[in-house]
Structures are given as structure tokens and as C-alpha cells.
Amino acid sequence: MKNPHYEWLGRRMREYHRTHPWSLSEGGLYIPHAYWHMTETSLSYWDDVGFTLNGRRIIVWWQHPRYVYWDRIKSQAWGEAGDDPQDHWLFGGGTKNYKKVGKTGRRKKLSSYTSREPSEAQRQYYAKLLEIERRLCQEGIDLEVRPSWKWERLSWAMGVSLVAPLEVRNEQEVTYLAHFARQLILRYTTLEKEFASFVYDKARWLNDQSTAPTPFDADTAPLAGKG
């Protein structure tokens, strides 16, 4: 029996795809990020790619297991650092900036804000947090990350959350990522078949760190936008 909610989502999905077309590559993929800053030896952390399948838009949110591991390191660091002073320095107590408007320039309009400097307590907290993160990166933590994937129906696409030990450093590799996700969706392959017994653990993390230490801006590893 058909599910009315899923039927509605399907209609919304197709309508959104029709009225909000993607800018696609020659291979028919939506590739939102640039890779000029990455080399063949770079370690990748996460990326997105989109494609259409049976008239429906598919968006893949991919993470390497090392990114999941890194994210847990950050969470553990926050826990070890203790209570955040909650200085609210980004939005509280800032300076309002105005620009002159009108023909005479006598009127002014709020145009931006300048954040104040964080308090000494907040700066000390950030320094402590960063030091803990660096220590945990060097030592590793007791965590095992296995490949996984799941998908969900959205009003604008089918979303696929994929954790797999691939490397995505250029358009050729992101093309393979899209192909692999399509194979999973169509049940032509499985994670168990492709990555049997794979576990990302402390040993793999420390090996990665010896090769290319994790950049502390790994959350934004791919560059948004393509020039």
C-alpha cells in the first residue's frame, strides 16, 4: 500500500528539482567544492556530491572514518576543557557600524557590527581547548569507526549519509564517490562486500597523523564554490 506522506515527498522532490536546477558537471554531477588545494597525497575528511537517479535528486554527504574520529576528539576535548565562560563576545557588546544614505548623506543606516575582543577568561579557555585537542591528536583516543550509510527522504532530495574509507581529493575521485553511492542505493554492492572487516581505530589515526597531521580547519577541508 502506498504511503501518502512518501508520495507527497516524492512530488515535492520532483517539483523542487524542476524549479531549482543544479549546475552540473559534464558528467552530470553536482560538485559544490573545489580541489585545487589538494594533492594526490592529501588526506580527505568529508565532501558532498549530487546526481539524479530515476528522475529524483540524490545528495550524498560523505565522511571519511578519520573525520568521524576527529569529530569525537573535538567532543572529548570540549568535555575535558570544562565549562565555557560563555563570554558571548561575537554578538554581545559589539560596535554598530553605520553608512550614510540618501542624496544629502544626512541619514544613516546600520550596515554591520564589529565584535568586541573576547575576555581574558575566554581566551584562556580557547587556548586550553586547543592544547587538549593537540594532545588528543598526538595520543589518539579509544574509538572504533566502521563504514555505515543511511538515507532519508527530504522535500527536495533523497539524502544519503555515507561513512566510507575513500579518498576524495579531485573531481575524478568525487565522481567515483557518486558512482559508489549509486551502487549502494541500487543494491548492486554493499559496504560489507567493499570494506569487509574495516575498522578505523587509534592505530590508523596515529598512522595518518605521522603521514599528514590533521589540520585544525579540517571541518572546512573542501573549498566551497568552484572558480
Side-chain angles (χ1 to χ4, degrees), residues 7-17 154-156:
E7 290 291 309
W8 175 80
L9 284 177
R11 291 192 297 271
R12 287 287 303 273
M13 201 182 305
R14 288 188 288 271
E15 177 65 17
Y16 188 89
H17 183 59
L154 308 170
S155 62
W156 60 279

Side-chain angles (χ1 to χ4, degrees), residues 47-61:
D47 207 350
D48 308 321
V49 65
F51 55 89
T52 56
L53 180 63
N54 297 329
R56 294 186 178 184
R57 180 176 293 189
I58 308 293
I59 183 70
V60 180
W61 303 299

